[in-house]
Amino acid sequence: MNPLALFSAVTVEQVKEILKKHLEGYKPEIEEANLLQAYNRVLAEDIVSPEDIPAFNRSTVDGFAVRARDTFGASESMPALLTLVGEIRMGEQTEIKLSTGEAAKIPTGGMLPECSDAVVMLEYTQLMDDTILCAEKPVAPKENVVEKGEDIKKGSVVLKKGHTLRPQDLGALAAVGIDRIKLVKPPAVSVISTGDEIKPPASSVKPGEVRDINTYAICGEVMKWGGLPLPQGIVRDNFEDLYDAVKAALEKSHMVLLSGGSSVGARDHTVKVIESLGKPGVLAHGLPVKPGKPTVVAVVDGKPIIGLPGHPVSAMVIFEILVRPIISTMLGRPEDFGGTRVYARMSRNIASAAGRQDFIRVKLEQRGEELWAVPVLGKSGLISNMVESHGLARIPSEKQGVAEGELVEVEIY
Ligand SMILES: Nc1nc2c(c(=O)[nH]1)N[C@H]1C(S)=C(S)[C@@H](COP(=O)(O)OP(=O)(O)OC[C@H]3O[C@@H](n4cnc5c(N)ncnc54)[C@H](O)[C@@H]3O)O[C@H]1N2
Ligand code: MOO
């Protein structure tokens, strides 16, 4: 086959749809874990609260529990006189039940006594003696009180299956008394770097050689987005070595990522290797994206194999727009799960071809009231571009560039 014929006009969205179809049979494994192992992991079950939180009406201040209506009209010159009937201790249920005109001392977080519905803050009270309390300010019903079930209602869904756990979510699970939960097991993602010139980071390099950036940048991406990276090292650019490496990787992982060797060149074997490994094989070679055009998208025996371009920036961009959604699908996350997206004004004109999505590395700058996206220009072989930028601005395929001052969507790394 003429290798150029492989460069297809299929869009990233179409490729994602095709991949999704191939992944319909993918059933992630589920594992149980403690809360402190669950940060940034994906919930495999809906969490329903077994209790009202708080389980009792609770004071939010240090002061005196009262019946609000007993304080109505109170002021510094005309305080409400209340009878102090006792003190509520932290963490204990009280026997006190307030009658009209009575108050009980209460700490922040203490349980309100029966028949009280508000708390007067300590600083608005004066004790005349051991039993007479002057309230110098009125309180409304429910003032300075968190009601039973106000935080989380018994029987309500606290967190949904597919949700990625943030620190506050771990806190909410702890609040409702759940400390072991079912999580989706991260998909294992093999990462292979190819190229005779690529050397491990610890080696000294001879002229013509470069250190392996992609294994590290791509494994980092896999970790960041919820997968388990399985780095497979550097493979020389010949059919046999690549075949053995991809075959071994397919057996031990749910997805294989290769980098390098995807463009049309004499040494490029990725496509041939994939085609000889099984069906359906290569689905697309070439995407209308810049950077990242020479991407290979394949499926073998239900497992995606993505040939990322060798240039590190291109490999990272294709990871973000294509591989990340696949990992999200495998985890049961929403497909568009990603970084924070903001709108910013482009600081200069950027040209782009219609029919192609462009991703521009940008720095974000606050200028007065407005956020500006300043392109970090440079070739897609320069990793420093990614280091210096804050995110990617997307120019959609229907546009021919953006003008200075035009709003663009930026996804922050
Ligand atoms: N005649 C053409 N040449 C190229 C085209 C084209 O359309 N026609 N496309 C260019 C684009 S765009 C890209 S991107 C690259 C893609 O190249 P490959 O995916 O085949 O990868 P290689 O040729 O092996 O490497 C490209 C470049 O990246 C360096 N590289 C590769 N792997 C790593 C790694 N793990 N760590 C650091 N650097 C890596 C490699 O040394 C090369 O410099 O092709 C263009 N050429
Ligand atoms: O598409 Mo290449 O991936 O621009 O550098």
Side-chain angles (χ1 to χ4, degrees):
M1 192 192 317
N2 171 5
L4 281 173
L6 289 168
F7 279 88
S8 56
V10 62
T11 66
V12 176
E13 281 61 41
Q14 287 165 332
V15 164
K16 284 201 294 197
E17 276 312 304
I18 298 168
L19 282 171
K20 240 167 106 178
K21 287 227 156 58
H22 282 283
L23 285 173
E24 272 165 10
Y26 178 81
K27 285 272 167 298
E29 284 179 57
I30 308 298
E31 61 186 351
E32 258 201 10
N34 290 328
L35 274 193
L36 288 179
Q37 299 162 328
Y39 172 65
N40 217 18
R41 299 280 307 271
V42 177
L43 258 182
E45 56 183 347
D46 283 348
I47 302 287
V48 175
S49 178
E51 293 172 17
D52 274 327
I53 304 297
F56 52 90
N57 294 336
R58 194 177 182 205
S59 175
T60 62
V61 295
D62 291 321
F64 294 89
V66 295
R67 296 156 73 108
R69 77 178 89 88
D70 291 344
T71 68
F72 291 170
S75 65
E76 234 173 291
S77 53
M78 282 282 284
L81 294 182
L82 303 167
T83 308
L84 189 59
V85 293
E87 180 170 351
I88 288 130
R89 303 177 81 82
M90 198 60 152
E92 287 179 14
Q93 187 164 11
T94 176
E95 297 295 306
I96 299 171
K97 182 175 174 185
L98 292 191
S99 301
T100 305
E102 290 181 344
K105 194 163 189 217
I106 191 165
T108 302
M111 179 176 173
L112 257 71
E114 234 184 290
C115 299
S116 76
D117 59 358
V119 179
V120 183
M121 280 167 86
L122 200 63
E123 41 278 60
Y124 302 119
T125 61
Q126 283 199 47
L127 266 177
M128 305 303 287
D129 57 32
D130 284 352
T131 55
I132 308 291
L133 178 79
C134 295
E136 296 173 340
K137 220 179 159 192
V139 276
K142 300 183 189 174
E143 196 169 328
N144 300 326
V145 173
V146 175
E147 284 187 288
K148 179 180 174 182
E150 182 177 332
D151 198 358
I152 300 170
K153 285 246 172 326
K154 181 178 175 175
S156 66
V157 177
V158 185
L159 294 165
K160 281 202 142 80
K161 182 177 167 178
H163 181 74
T164 301
L165 294 164
R166 305 163 298 167
Q168 57 269 47
D169 303 324
L170 303 183
L173 290 165
V176 301
I178 292 173
D179 70 343
R180 275 187 78 75
I181 41 170
K182 292 199 173 84
L183 300 172
V184 180
K185 256 194 170 177
V189 182
S190 284
V191 177
I192 302 173
S193 283
T194 70
D196 297 343
E197 77 287 18
I198 311 294
K199 301 291 162 203
S203 32
S204 54
V205 284
K206 295 202 277 291
E209 296 176 340
V210 293
R211 294 195 184 87
D212 181 8
I213 295 172
N214 293 351
T215 292
Y216 298 87
I218 298 305
C219 284
E221 290 271 20
V222 172
M223 284 188 264
K224 180 174 176 187
W225 297 108
L228 174 71
L230 302 180
Q232 302 297 300
I234 302 159
V235 176
R236 290 187 71 81
D237 219 346
N238 62 69
F239 182 89
E240 292 73 25
D241 286 359
L242 198 56
Y243 180 90
D244 292 345
V246 180
K247 190 168 188 295
L250 267 177
E251 278 162 20
K252 62 181 133 189
S253 49
H254 301 102
M255 168 159 46
V256 178
L257 304 178
L258 296 141
S259 73
S262 63
S263 70
V264 186
R267 298 180 310 143
D268 300 332
H269 305 293
T270 309
V271 169
K272 285 186 212 138
V273 163
I274 294 169
E275 288 293 351
S276 60
L277 276 168
K279 295 274 172 239
V282 174
L283 304 170
H285 185 185
L287 294 175
V289 177
K290 189 180 173 197
K293 181 181 77 169
T295 298
V296 177
V297 183
V299 171
V300 168
D301 298 334
K303 295 180 181 178
I305 305 178
I306 311 295
L308 303 166
H311 284 151
V313 175
S314 317
M316 293 187 77
V317 167
I318 294 298
F319 187 100
E320 295 274 332
I321 65 172
L322 186 65
V323 180
R324 188 177 75 193
I326 303 174
I327 295 180
S328 291
T329 300
M330 288 174 146
L331 286 167
R333 275 175 174 157
E335 195 200 289
D336 65 350
F337 184 85
T340 304
R341 284 162 214 164
V342 295
Y343 280 88
R345 294 194 185 281
M346 194 62 104
S347 71
R348 50 172 287 173
N349 294 340
I350 297 283
S352 138
R356 183 184 79 193
Q357 290 187 71
D358 278 30
F359 292 89
I360 316 292
R361 281 78 70 198
V362 295
K363 269 186 186 173
L364 290 172
E365 267 182 33
Q366 191 71 40
R367 297 182 187 166
E369 298 277 281
E370 286 179 334
L371 197 57
W372 285 76
V374 181
V376 177
L377 298 174
K379 301 181 180 77
S380 54
L382 311 183
I383 189 65
S384 55
N385 266 215
M386 292 296 284
V387 175
E388 284 161 21
S389 53
H390 297 130
L392 285 179
R394 188 175 81 94
I395 307 180
S397 55
E398 62 275 13
K399 295 202 69 163
Q400 283 182 300
V402 284
E404 181 184 336
E406 207 176 322
L407 278 176
V408 284
E409 188 186 72
V410 178
E411 186 175 325
I412 298 169
Y413 304 132

